[in-house]
Amino acid sequence: MSNLLYDRLFGSHQGEQKPFLIFADGSQQSYDSFLRQTARFANVIQSIGLDVGDRLAAQIEKSAEALALYAACVKSGVIFLPLNTAYTPAEVSYFVGDSGAKLVVADQYFDLAAVASEHGAVLERLNADGSGSFADRAATASDIFATVPRGADDLAAFLYTSGTTGRSKGAMLTQNNLLSNAETLIGEWRFDANDVLLHALPIFHTHGLFVATNIILLAKASMIFLPKFSADMVIDALPKASSMMGVPTFYTRLLDDPRLTPDLTRHMRLFISGSAPLLAETHIQFESRTGHRILERYGMTETNMNTSNPYDGERRAGTVGMALPGVDMKITNPDNGEALADGEIGQIEVRGPNVFVGYWNMPEKTREELREDGFFITGDLGRIDEYGYLQIVGRNKDLIISGGYNIYPKEIELVLDEQPGVLESAVIGAPHPDFGESVIGILVADSGQSVDLDAIEADLGKTLARFKQPRKLVMVESLPRNTMGKVQKNILRDEFGSTFQG
Ligand code: MLC
Ligand code: AMP
């Protein structure tokens, strides 16, 4: 029996000397060298005692090793669980505990010894420079490993996505969820072996890991693999690339740089944007500065990619295009789930081989969002416009997207409510020129109590990843509520909406 995902993404690359990864300093790693590393890593994973279906949690900086760890999990049938490097140990503890990960692989500077021992997991170190206890074991391991058989419906990865209750949910993704989506996108976006993708995204999310990396592997193309987004590094690397994928902040930051010119981008084939709304204004400015029309697409952790603007046809600013081949999409009435006519605003539902199989250990949450007929309720609101393109007009879920990272207000409110002197809190997103949206925490003091905002900020740093921390904390007398007692965040958004402007 074969291993579907491994065979399709990596299987035919053995012995291939072509570069898979090209680093900022010009050095390269060939497919063959990458796959040897992968096999060594798979041997280490197996020697530590992980079995098929066990979970491996990874909190490591972006590196070739991090990708080889992903490949090694696929090869050995272990479920890969990548974690944002910004997460605090308190946040990581939840993911390790909830997933039951047997092995945690982390950079040395993440203080996870207590987390691992609390959950009975093995902790190994793998650092961005290739050193660490995991790397030491790999150095003496064989570079031959018999790929473990896995099929289309077997689980390949867990990606955690936050929930409205403040508890993160592990989205279970199968081999076929990942493979079918990469196979669709490679065709839709015309990737082939000549492509050189400029990769500046993090690799612990769908966008940088599955969309970008899986497509490049499938196409046997190359990636310029930057450690993170920086306008300087991207502008340096652009002349050597053919395509780039980014979140809208990448494009607004590039537009802020006078070095972004038609000359710099003349040879580029494709710029893609997703993970957060790209303002129509950014789309238009980018075209007038470079001559390129950004191709915007729409996806989610649970569904991979759902829709895309066309490669050849009109890429319409302010829309995310049409359902991808194999994806069914409908707009429904949030109250009763009935399909609405084109033009009407409702919740976006999607079904297809790209859609995950459920949340780990949360059958009720799964039932709430994944219908029996296979349609997934995205929580996004949209309408199909007169040209048949999907416009996302808002969200039916209380979610903030800052620079492409999701932040669930409930999680932050739970932490704020615990602060000394705080009676209650509400967290909202407000338009932000760099991050698209940014976080404001609105606090009400307990009667007669004083609230020390500086002390609160310092405390938040201990529990919440930096990107989730409110960029502004404000005190109010009371929170506006409707007759049902529900906080009216729309009123707060109206009041504080211009906090980060100008
Ligand atoms: C970093 N910071 C952020 C932040 N990223 N704060 C809010 N929102 C973010 N997204 C913090 C830093 O810790 C720092 O804190 C400060 O903000 C400024 O740092 P920076 O140097 O400007 O940040 P930078 O490293 O440049 O990161 C910004 C970014 C990055 C936009 C380049 O966040 C990024 O690469 N985002 C991509 C996210 C992504 O891949 N999403 C895909 C999800 S998958 P301080 O203390 O110094 O102020 C998905 C499905 C789909 O959604 O459809 O794709
Ligand atoms: P995540 O949970 O990180 O996968 O984020 C998924 C969410 O990002 C979606 O539900 C949308 O709200 C949002 N999103 C992704 N792509 C786009 C886009 N092109 N335009 C608007 N929102 C987007």
PDB file of all heavy atoms in Angstrom, residues 187-204:
ATOM      1  N   GLY A 187      -3.160  23.801 -10.906  1.00  0.00           N
ATOM      2  CA  GLY A 187      -3.750  23.993 -12.229  1.00  0.00           C
ATOM      3  C   GLY A 187      -4.351  25.381 -12.375  1.00  0.00           C
ATOM      4  O   GLY A 187      -4.105  26.084 -13.357  1.00  0.00           O
ATOM      5  N   GLU A 188      -5.106  25.787 -11.370  1.00  0.00           N
ATOM      6  CA  GLU A 188      -5.781  27.084 -11.455  1.00  0.00           C
ATOM      7  C   GLU A 188      -4.782  28.231 -11.578  1.00  0.00           C
ATOM      8  O   GLU A 188      -5.042  29.212 -12.254  1.00  0.00           O
ATOM      9  CB  GLU A 188      -6.635  27.317 -10.197  1.00  0.00           C
ATOM     10  CG  GLU A 188      -7.872  26.461 -10.112  1.00  0.00           C
ATOM     11  CD  GLU A 188      -8.846  26.725 -11.239  1.00  0.00           C
ATOM     12  OE1 GLU A 188      -9.373  27.846 -11.331  1.00  0.00           O
ATOM     13  OE2 GLU A 188      -9.074  25.796 -12.045  1.00  0.00           O
ATOM     14  N   TRP A 189      -3.679  28.112 -10.865  1.00  0.00           N
ATOM     15  CA  TRP A 189      -2.717  29.217 -10.833  1.00  0.00           C
ATOM     16  C   TRP A 189      -1.507  28.965 -11.736  1.00  0.00           C
ATOM     17  O   TRP A 189      -0.528  29.708 -11.695  1.00  0.00           O
ATOM     18  CB  TRP A 189      -2.262  29.470  -9.371  1.00  0.00           C
ATOM     19  CG  TRP A 189      -3.391  29.901  -8.473  1.00  0.00           C
ATOM     20  CD1 TRP A 189      -4.596  30.420  -8.851  1.00  0.00           C
ATOM     21  CD2 TRP A 189      -3.423  29.854  -7.032  1.00  0.00           C
ATOM     22  NE1 TRP A 189      -5.365  30.695  -7.744  1.00  0.00           N
ATOM     23  CE2 TRP A 189      -4.680  30.367  -6.610  1.00  0.00           C
ATOM     24  CE3 TRP A 189      -2.507  29.433  -6.062  1.00  0.00           C
ATOM     25  CZ2 TRP A 189      -5.038  30.468  -5.269  1.00  0.00           C
ATOM     26  CZ3 TRP A 189      -2.873  29.537  -4.726  1.00  0.00           C
ATOM     27  CH2 TRP A 189      -4.117  30.046  -4.332  1.00  0.00           C
ATOM     28  N   ARG A 190      -1.564  27.836 -12.489  1.00  0.00           N
ATOM     29  CA  ARG A 190      -0.563  27.522 -13.538  1.00  0.00           C
ATOM     30  C   ARG A 190       0.866  27.380 -13.005  1.00  0.00           C
ATOM     31  O   ARG A 190       1.816  27.857 -13.632  1.00  0.00           O
ATOM     32  CB  ARG A 190      -0.547  28.609 -14.627  1.00  0.00           C
ATOM     33  CG  ARG A 190      -1.897  29.010 -15.155  1.00  0.00           C
ATOM     34  CD  ARG A 190      -2.395  28.059 -16.234  1.00  0.00           C
ATOM     35  NE  ARG A 190      -3.461  28.685 -16.993  1.00  0.00           N
ATOM     36  CZ  ARG A 190      -4.747  28.723 -16.602  1.00  0.00           C
ATOM     37  NH1 ARG A 190      -5.114  28.175 -15.455  1.00  0.00           N
ATOM     38  NH2 ARG A 190      -5.643  29.304 -17.374  1.00  0.00           N
ATOM     39  N   PHE A 191       1.016  26.756 -11.854  1.00  0.00           N
ATOM     40  CA  PHE A 191       2.379  26.530 -11.355  1.00  0.00           C
ATOM     41  C   PHE A 191       3.016  25.370 -12.107  1.00  0.00           C
ATOM     42  O   PHE A 191       2.362  24.364 -12.381  1.00  0.00           O
ATOM     43  CB  PHE A 191       2.373  26.238  -9.846  1.00  0.00           C
ATOM     44  CG  PHE A 191       2.371  27.495  -9.024  1.00  0.00           C
ATOM     45  CD1 PHE A 191       1.187  28.114  -8.669  1.00  0.00           C
ATOM     46  CD2 PHE A 191       3.571  28.086  -8.645  1.00  0.00           C
ATOM     47  CE1 PHE A 191       1.184  29.293  -7.931  1.00  0.00           C
ATOM     48  CE2 PHE A 191       3.580  29.275  -7.905  1.00  0.00           C
ATOM     49  CZ  PHE A 191       2.388  29.871  -7.550  1.00  0.00           C
ATOM     50  N   ASP A 192       4.303  25.516 -12.456  1.00  0.00           N
ATOM     51  CA  ASP A 192       5.032  24.396 -13.051  1.00  0.00           C
ATOM     52  C   ASP A 192       6.482  24.426 -12.570  1.00  0.00           C
ATOM     53  O   ASP A 192       6.858  25.281 -11.750  1.00  0.00           O
ATOM     54  CB  ASP A 192       4.915  24.389 -14.580  1.00  0.00           C
ATOM     55  CG  ASP A 192       5.599  25.586 -15.220  1.00  0.00           C
ATOM     56  OD1 ASP A 192       6.515  26.173 -14.591  1.00  0.00           O
ATOM     57  OD2 ASP A 192       5.222  25.945 -16.346  1.00  0.00           O
ATOM     58  N   ALA A 193       7.282  23.517 -13.103  1.00  0.00           N
ATOM     59  CA  ALA A 193       8.649  23.340 -12.585  1.00  0.00           C
ATOM     60  C   ALA A 193       9.527  24.566 -12.802  1.00  0.00           C
ATOM     61  O   ALA A 193      10.586  24.704 -12.185  1.00  0.00           O
ATOM     62  CB  ALA A 193       9.275  22.109 -13.237  1.00  0.00           C
ATOM     63  N   ASN A 194       9.096  25.487 -13.664  1.00  0.00           N
ATOM     64  CA  ASN A 194       9.905  26.698 -13.885  1.00  0.00           C
ATOM     65  C   ASN A 194       9.675  27.759 -12.822  1.00  0.00           C
ATOM     66  O   ASN A 194      10.388  28.760 -12.784  1.00  0.00           O
ATOM     67  CB  ASN A 194       9.554  27.321 -15.249  1.00  0.00           C
ATOM     68  CG  ASN A 194       9.942  26.392 -16.365  1.00  0.00           C
ATOM     69  OD1 ASN A 194      11.026  25.802 -16.329  1.00  0.00           O
ATOM     70  ND2 ASN A 194       9.048  26.217 -17.338  1.00  0.00           N
ATOM     71  N   ASP A 195       8.665  27.560 -11.974  1.00  0.00           N
ATOM     72  CA  ASP A 195       8.344  28.600 -11.006  1.00  0.00           C
ATOM     73  C   ASP A 195       9.371  28.708  -9.886  1.00  0.00           C
ATOM     74  O   ASP A 195       9.941  27.710  -9.444  1.00  0.00           O
ATOM     75  CB  ASP A 195       6.969  28.337 -10.379  1.00  0.00           C
ATOM     76  CG  ASP A 195       5.887  29.102 -11.102  1.00  0.00           C
ATOM     77  OD1 ASP A 195       5.912  30.351 -11.029  1.00  0.00           O
ATOM     78  OD2 ASP A 195       5.051  28.456 -11.770  1.00  0.00           O
ATOM     79  N   VAL A 196       9.564  29.954  -9.456  1.00  0.00           N
ATOM     80  CA  VAL A 196      10.352  30.226  -8.249  1.00  0.00           C
ATOM     81  C   VAL A 196       9.453  31.110  -7.376  1.00  0.00           C
ATOM     82  O   VAL A 196       9.198  32.265  -7.702  1.00  0.00           O
ATOM     83  CB  VAL A 196      11.667  30.971  -8.578  1.00  0.00           C
ATOM     84  CG1 VAL A 196      12.447  31.251  -7.291  1.00  0.00           C
ATOM     85  CG2 VAL A 196      12.509  30.178  -9.564  1.00  0.00           C
ATOM     86  N   LEU A 197       8.944  30.503  -6.309  1.00  0.00           N
ATOM     87  CA  LEU A 197       7.997  31.223  -5.450  1.00  0.00           C
ATOM     88  C   LEU A 197       8.746  31.978  -4.368  1.00  0.00           C
ATOM     89  O   LEU A 197       9.587  31.404  -3.671  1.00  0.00           O
ATOM     90  CB  LEU A 197       7.029  30.233  -4.786  1.00  0.00           C
ATOM     91  CG  LEU A 197       6.031  30.876  -3.817  1.00  0.00           C
ATOM     92  CD1 LEU A 197       4.908  31.571  -4.584  1.00  0.00           C
ATOM     93  CD2 LEU A 197       5.452  29.839  -2.863  1.00  0.00           C
ATOM     94  N   LEU A 198       8.427  33.264  -4.215  1.00  0.00           N
ATOM     95  CA  LEU A 198       9.022  34.028  -3.119  1.00  0.00           C
ATOM     96  C   LEU A 198       8.182  33.737  -1.864  1.00  0.00           C
ATOM     97  O   LEU A 198       7.014  34.114  -1.796  1.00  0.00           O
ATOM     98  CB  LEU A 198       8.983  35.517  -3.469  1.00  0.00           C
ATOM     99  CG  LEU A 198      10.058  36.363  -2.810  1.00  0.00           C
ATOM    100  CD1 LEU A 198      10.092  37.733  -3.431  1.00  0.00           C
ATOM    101  CD2 LEU A 198       9.900  36.452  -1.336  1.00  0.00           C
ATOM    102  N   HIS A 199       8.805  33.040  -0.914  1.00  0.00           N
ATOM    103  CA  HIS A 199       8.081  32.559   0.262  1.00  0.00           C
ATOM    104  C   HIS A 199       8.524  33.345   1.490  1.00  0.00           C
ATOM    105  O   HIS A 199       9.617  33.133   2.016  1.00  0.00           O
ATOM    106  CB  HIS A 199       8.372  31.063   0.455  1.00  0.00           C
ATOM    107  CG  HIS A 199       7.469  30.390   1.454  1.00  0.00           C
ATOM    108  ND1 HIS A 199       7.360  30.812   2.757  1.00  0.00           N
ATOM    109  CD2 HIS A 199       6.627  29.328   1.325  1.00  0.00           C
ATOM    110  CE1 HIS A 199       6.491  30.029   3.393  1.00  0.00           C
ATOM    111  NE2 HIS A 199       6.029  29.130   2.544  1.00  0.00           N
ATOM    112  N   ALA A 200       7.669  34.282   1.935  1.00  0.00           N
ATOM    113  CA  ALA A 200       8.004  35.095   3.116  1.00  0.00           C
ATOM    114  C   ALA A 200       6.982  34.892   4.230  1.00  0.00           C
ATOM    115  O   ALA A 200       6.989  35.605   5.224  1.00  0.00           O
ATOM    116  CB  ALA A 200       8.072  36.569   2.718  1.00  0.00           C
ATOM    117  N   LEU A 201       6.085  33.928   4.050  1.00  0.00           N
ATOM    118  CA  LEU A 201       5.029  33.662   5.041  1.00  0.00           C
ATOM    119  C   LEU A 201       5.547  32.756   6.148  1.00  0.00           C
ATOM    120  O   LEU A 201       6.491  31.988   5.937  1.00  0.00           O
ATOM    121  CB  LEU A 201       3.863  32.941   4.351  1.00  0.00           C
ATOM    122  CG  LEU A 201       3.025  33.758   3.378  1.00  0.00           C
ATOM    123  CD1 LEU A 201       2.314  32.841   2.391  1.00  0.00           C
ATOM    124  CD2 LEU A 201       2.014  34.613   4.142  1.00  0.00           C
ATOM    125  N   PRO A 202       4.885  32.784   7.306  1.00  0.00           N
ATOM    126  CA  PRO A 202       5.216  31.765   8.315  1.00  0.00           C
ATOM    127  C   PRO A 202       4.746  30.385   7.830  1.00  0.00           C
ATOM    128  O   PRO A 202       3.860  30.296   6.975  1.00  0.00           O
ATOM    129  CB  PRO A 202       4.418  32.208   9.539  1.00  0.00           C
ATOM    130  CG  PRO A 202       3.360  33.129   9.044  1.00  0.00           C
ATOM    131  CD  PRO A 202       3.838  33.721   7.756  1.00  0.00           C
ATOM    132  N   ILE A 203       5.344  29.323   8.391  1.00  0.00           N
ATOM    133  CA  ILE A 203       4.974  27.979   7.911  1.00  0.00           C
ATOM    134  C   ILE A 203       4.233  27.170   8.974  1.00  0.00           C
ATOM    135  O   ILE A 203       4.270  25.949   8.959  1.00  0.00           O
ATOM    136  CB  ILE A 203       6.197  27.196   7.385  1.00  0.00           C
ATOM    137  CG1 ILE A 203       7.336  27.207   8.394  1.00  0.00           C
ATOM    138  CG2 ILE A 203       6.654  27.742   6.042  1.00  0.00           C
ATOM    139  CD1 ILE A 203       8.449  26.207   8.073  1.00  0.00           C
ATOM    140  N   PHE A 204       3.537  27.869   9.873  1.00  0.00           N
ATOM    141  CA  PHE A 204       2.717  27.128  10.842  1.00  0.00           C
ATOM    142  C   PHE A 204       1.230  27.309  10.548  1.00  0.00           C
ATOM    143  O   PHE A 204       0.386  26.967  11.357  1.00  0.00           O
ATOM    144  CB  PHE A 204       3.051  27.531  12.286  1.00  0.00           C
ATOM    145  CG  PHE A 204       3.308  29.014  12.463  1.00  0.00           C
ATOM    146  CD1 PHE A 204       2.271  29.909  12.390  1.00  0.00           C
ATOM    147  CD2 PHE A 204       4.595  29.488  12.692  1.00  0.00           C
ATOM    148  CE1 PHE A 204       2.485  31.261  12.549  1.00  0.00           C
ATOM    149  CE2 PHE A 204       4.836  30.846  12.853  1.00  0.00           C
ATOM    150  CZ  PHE A 204       3.769  31.742  12.773  1.00  0.00           C
TER     151      PHE A 204
END
